[in-house]
Amino acid sequence: MQLSPQLQQQLAQAVRTSMRIEGYRNTPLPQVQAKAKVLMEQKRVQVSVPAK
């Protein structure tokens, strides 16, 4: 699945926001982001992006 650069940026922001809410530090490690992306693709999890 190809993601546009804008969608990738929004996904990264959603991950950072979720981690901040859960009490994690603001900047996730690249390894954590990659692992989350792989898990989301395996489980077919999609993040809704509000339309503008």
Side-chain angles (χ1 to χ4, degrees), residues 10-28 32-33 36 40 45 47:
Q10 290 174 338
L11 179 59
Q13 179 63 36
V15 169
R16 284 191 296 272
T17 300
S18 176
M19 290 180 75
R20 197 174 332 117
I21 289 170
E22 294 177 9
Y24 294 97
R25 59 190 169 123
N26 288 339
T27 54
V32 174
Q33 286 182 323
M40 289 175 70
V45 174
V47 177

Side-chain angles (χ1 to χ4, degrees), residues 3-14 16 49-52:
L3 298 177
S4 69
Q6 182 183 10
L7 186 56
Q8 288 179 349
Q9 183 180 16
Q10 290 174 338
L11 179 59
Q13 179 63 36
R16 284 191 296 272
V49 179
K52 289 189 176 184

